[in-house]
Amino acid sequence: MTGPRSAVVFNPVKVGDLEVLRRTVIEGLATAGWPEPSWHETSEDDAGRGQALQAIAEGAELIFACGGDGTVMAVVTALAGTDVALAVLPAGTGNLLAANLGLGTDAATGVEVAIEGGRKRIDVGVVGEQRFAVMAGMGFDAQMLEGTSDVAKKHIGWLAYVGGAAKHLLSNPMRVLIQLDGGQPLRRRPRSVIIGNVGRLQGGVRLLSEAHPDDGKLDVAILSPNNLGHWIAMGWAVLRRRDRVPRMETFTAQHVLIRSTRPQPRQLDGDLIDAGTNLEVTIQHQALLLCVPRPAGDPDLTYDVSVAEANADTIRTAVADNTA
């Protein structure tokens, strides 16, 4: 076996059939002459960071993250600033990083993407000791996540977030000061402030059309709808990909500080963190080495994954033959 040493960090709650996952990864790597990976299960106390650090200490050169957005974010936190590559094996509901960068929608494709050897360095956002690859937010977006049940996500997927959003459409706005790169604070009463490294939300909705994950900048959206009509107008403009979205301001910065008059719900990469009065975000430029499909597609890293998906059929066939 001549391939790189790898490890799988997986969330057993999100993985539907662990034995199928094991066979998919092992058979897929075997087709390329790679050795079997080590396996590291997440826990309630550690969503994946400690497991990824252990795998690195044991010599892993590539780590597969298999779980929801929280698992991926924990592994990103461990890998940022290293030369260890991340490969995503989608298993949760949101799968925000995979959806934004066209990494495929199933484990077999994720394995094939890693084997193909496409690698790209992308930026990560920094909040305290945590790193994120997609976006951070304070306000309505975190409220939506808070109001969405795991049961609903399991049964109807990303559509469950619609119910979570409906519960908070008419909640009170925040009172915040937003400081960009140390400049004059902006005084606003928004419903949500979203800080993006890439631009797509749950369900593939593209909120930040100019966001690129390797440009060294954070894209900031300040959403300030005051009634149902404002929400409808804003949503329609986003869906139609209009250049100007009513009730939404956008900025770019490398350092974003949001200060609220009272604690607000907060999220990183679609995963809730503790509520707080502040959210401070900086950028770590091209800190994460990510496995991406070949050939590369358009400039915003929405790769053409069709080749990997086609090649992944070989992996699926091998798994099916061994299962029969």
Side-chain angles (χ1 to χ4, degrees):
M1 296 290 184
T2 59
R5 296 179 64 182
S6 63
V8 181
V9 175
F10 68 96
N11 182 342
V13 176
K14 300 292 186 179
V15 175
D17 190 323
L18 181 56
E19 286 308 308
V20 170
L21 175 67
R22 285 183 181 274
R23 287 195 296 268
T24 298
V25 175
I26 292 170
E27 293 287 347
L29 297 183
T31 62
W34 290 20
E36 288 191 17
S38 59
W39 293 80
H40 305 263
E41 183 175 322
T42 67
S43 66
E44 289 186 8
D45 297 327
D46 192 334
R49 181 181 184 183
Q51 292 86 342
L53 290 173
Q54 179 185 346
I56 294 171
E58 294 172 354
E61 302 165 79
L62 183 150
I63 295 180
F64 294 95
C66 186
D69 292 318
T71 305
V72 174
M73 184 178 68
V75 176
V76 166
T77 298
L79 268 54
T82 75
D83 291 325
V84 179
L86 168 67
V88 179
L89 305 180
T93 304
N95 295 316
L96 287 173
L97 182 59
N100 270 275
L101 302 186
L103 305 182
T105 59
D106 66 288
T109 302
V111 172
E112 182 60 32
V113 166
I115 290 171
E116 285 181 352
R119 303 289 185 266
K120 178 70 179 182
R121 284 204 169 271
I122 67 169
D123 306 334
V124 297
V126 181
V127 176
E129 296 299 316
Q130 293 179 283
R131 305 292 185 270
F132 67 91
V134 181
M135 59 185 60
M138 174 184 274
F140 173 78
D141 57 313
Q143 287 178 320
M144 176 187 69
L145 295 171
E146 199 172 41
T148 304
S149 74
D150 290 337
V151 174
K153 287 192 290 184
K154 182 177 181 179
H155 285 90
I156 61 174
W158 66 265
L159 286 173
Y161 294 109
V162 176
K167 298 175 184 177
H168 299 284
L169 281 177
L170 301 179
S171 297
N172 292 329
M174 303 183 290
R175 293 178 182 269
V176 299
L177 292 176
I178 303 169
Q179 194 169 24
L180 307 174
D181 289 335
Q184 185 69 25
L186 306 173
R187 190 181 300 272
R188 297 290 189 272
R189 295 196 64 193
R191 298 300 312 284
S192 183
V193 181
I194 295 175
I195 303 161
N197 187 39
V198 293
R200 288 185 176 88
L201 304 173
Q202 283 86 357
V205 176
R206 190 170 186 86
L207 180 70
L208 297 164
S209 59
E210 299 300 319
H212 301 286
D214 60 349
D215 62 1
K217 297 178 182 179
L218 297 162
D219 287 66
V220 183
I222 305 173
L223 282 62
S224 304
N226 292 327
N227 54 50
L228 187 58
H230 289 164
W231 277 114
I232 293 172
M234 186 172 66
W236 181 248
V238 169
L239 290 173
R240 295 291 299 274
R241 299 187 178 184
R242 297 283 175 81
D243 291 335
R244 184 177 180 279
V245 177
R247 316 300 297 187
M248 184 175 88
E249 300 173 272
T250 57
F251 304 89
T252 59
Q254 294 178 315
H255 180 197
V256 181
L257 174 60
I258 309 169
R259 290 175 288 177
S260 172
T261 56
R262 56 187 173 85
Q264 301 292 343
R266 305 179 301 169
Q267 62 87 13
L268 301 180
D269 277 1
D271 211 45
L272 286 170
I273 60 174
D274 291 339
T277 56
N278 290 1
L279 182 61
E280 185 171 11
V281 186
T282 57
I283 192 84
Q284 193 173 352
H285 186 42
Q286 296 187 1
L288 180 66
L289 185 62
L290 184 67
C291 297
V292 295
R294 291 184 183 275
D298 60 33
D300 73 353
L301 295 188
T302 305
Y303 291 96
D304 180 3
V305 75
S306 59
V307 176
E309 288 176 336
N311 291 340
D313 284 339
T314 302
I315 299 174
R316 298 186 189 99
T317 300
V319 171
D321 289 343
N322 285 336
T323 302

